[in-house]
Structures are given as structure tokens and as C-alpha cells.
Amino acid sequence: KFYLFCYDDDSKQSYYEKGITETEYKISYQQLLDVGEFTREWFNKNLPNCAKEGSCNFTTIGGLFILQNYATYSERGIYKKV
């Protein structure tokens, strides 16, 4: 399963699709539960393939946490458990 998201790049007028796997989401959620936060530093180190696909994958995971009321945006690169 994938959580897909799309966006337009106005400078190129292009359309892209990117996404995260269910496994990547679950690993990230477990980190949030165990440590109380989900950080870009942890994301880059522990999910390198997901991070290499695009830095927006970190923001997407964090955004899903916020939508599900699991976390709040604390500061740049950090989501804190609610």
C-alpha cells in the first residue's frame, strides 16, 4: 500500500507522484510512540531510501500524524507526539 501525493511544479509546469509505503509509515509511527517525537534527522538516518526519494516524504508523514491527531508540528524538522 502507498500513501500517494501529487503536486505541480509551477516553474516547470510538471506533475509528479511520490509516496510512502505503509511499512515506512508504520516504522515512523512506532518511532513517534517510542520516543515521543519524529524528527528529520531520525528519518534521514533510518529511512534513507524514503528520504532520497524526496524530502517532502518527511513532511507527508508528519502531516499524516497531524491529520490523525497523533502529533503536532513542534519546530522545523520535529513533530511531537500529542
Side-chain angles (χ1 to χ4, degrees):
K1 293 183 180 179
F2 287 89
Y3 297 95
L4 293 176
F5 56 98
C6 308
Y7 63 93
D8 292 318
D9 182 346
D10 292 333
S11 64
K12 297 180 185 175
Q13 296 182 351
S14 300
Y15 175 77
Y16 296 92
E17 287 189 12
K18 294 186 178 187
I20 58 168
T21 66
E22 184 176 10
T23 299
E24 291 164 340
Y25 177 82
K26 286 181 177 181
I27 291 169
S28 299
Y29 181 61
Q30 195 59 55
Q31 169 69 8
L32 181 69
L33 292 179
D34 292 347
V35 179
E37 65 182 17
F38 172 63
T39 67
R40 184 176 296 278
E41 181 180 349
W42 179 90
F43 173 75
N44 290 342
K45 181 179 178 183
N46 292 279
L47 296 172
N49 292 336
C50 188
K52 285 178 188 174
E53 184 180 89
S55 62
C56 50
N57 284 343
F58 171 77
T59 306
T60 297
I61 293 170
L64 288 169
F65 291 161
I66 290 172
L67 288 172
Q68 296 171 310
N69 294 315
Y70 296 154
T72 58
Y73 180 78
S74 175
E75 60 187 87
R76 184 176 179 155
I78 301 174
Y79 293 88
K80 297 267 188 184
K81 181 180 170 189
V82 173

